[in-house]
Amino acid sequence: MARSRDVEFHDFVSSRWSAVFHFARLLTGGDRYRAEDLMQEAFVKLWFAWPRVGQQAPEPYIRKVLARAAMRSARRRWWAERPADLLPERADTADETTRVDERARLEAGLALLPARQRTAVVLRYYQDLSESQVAEAMGCPLGTARSLVTRGVARLRQAMAETAEPVK
């Protein structure tokens, strides 16, 4: 029985790793390393809850754990990691597509939002959850979730408009 639990969990993690990582990265405003830390925390919690949620709904469970961990993480003042003294070489960006540039602008805009607004916007529009599902995932009332989404989108639009660069 324990062997099948291991296999089922491994299969879920393997199949959903990329999507969960992208979701976590959006929640952290594009910070890859914080996203990896959040994912590790979420997958550990999922492992212990797997007997309860494995056959039912592991996707909403991991989404809720990630959203709450991201909000909790944003309240901390220091994440115990600092940038390295040596920066990696910059990639040649001359041949990047507009889509990649837009994604980078979006991640930068998301990084400017407060953690709760960023979480609400990502849950609502990236995860395509309903307002009530956003409220449930964030553990807040429906009206609060609506307000966070509305204000977050307004701030994101403003940030995107301020950083708009003409295409050369």
Side-chain angles (χ1 to χ4, degrees):
M1 183 96 159
R3 177 69 181 142
S4 74
R5 174 182 155 183
D6 293 349
V7 171
E8 290 172 358
F9 181 77
H10 181 267
D11 290 345
F12 174 77
V13 171
S14 297
S15 67
R16 301 302 299 154
W17 181 268
S18 178
V20 171
F21 176 68
H22 188 65
F23 176 58
R25 201 165 157 203
L26 289 173
L27 287 174
T28 60
D31 187 338
R32 173 189 179 95
Y33 304 106
R34 277 187 53 218
E36 289 173 351
D37 290 344
L38 290 179
M39 283 181 56
Q40 181 177 357
E41 180 181 339
F43 281 130
V44 166
K45 288 182 179 183
L46 178 62
W47 168 253
F48 288 110
W50 191 256
R52 284 184 293 119
V53 299
Q55 296 299 320
Q56 297 169 357
E59 191 81 29
Y61 181 85
I62 196 97
R63 189 171 35 237
K64 181 186 285 189
V65 170
L66 277 171
R68 290 181 179 178
M71 289 185 297
R72 192 172 47 254
S73 163
R75 287 191 294 255
R76 295 183 195 136
R77 292 180 183 230
W78 183 55
W79 293 288
E81 294 183 14
R82 294 286 180 221
D85 292 329
L86 277 173
L87 295 175
E89 291 182 24
R90 289 186 168 230
D92 182 22
T93 58
D95 61 334
E96 285 188 286
T97 64
T98 304
R99 184 174 173 202
V100 173
D101 290 339
E102 283 298 309
R103 182 178 293 165
R105 279 185 54 230
L106 179 61
E107 285 182 355
L110 284 170
L112 297 174
L113 297 178
R116 286 176 49 98
Q117 284 181 358
R118 180 175 50 239
T119 302
V121 169
V122 169
L123 286 170
R124 180 71 174 106
Y125 294 107
Y126 174 73
Q127 290 288 306
D128 199 27
L129 298 181
S130 68
E131 291 173 335
S132 60
Q133 289 172 319
V134 171
E136 181 184 337
M138 293 181 67
C140 65
L142 180 61
T144 302
R146 285 180 180 156
S147 174
L148 289 169
V149 169
T150 302
R151 291 178 182 163
V153 168
R155 285 179 100 174
L156 185 59
R157 283 185 179 141
Q158 181 182 9
M160 296 292 285
E162 291 172 358
T163 61
E165 298 176 10
V167 178
K168 296 176 186 176

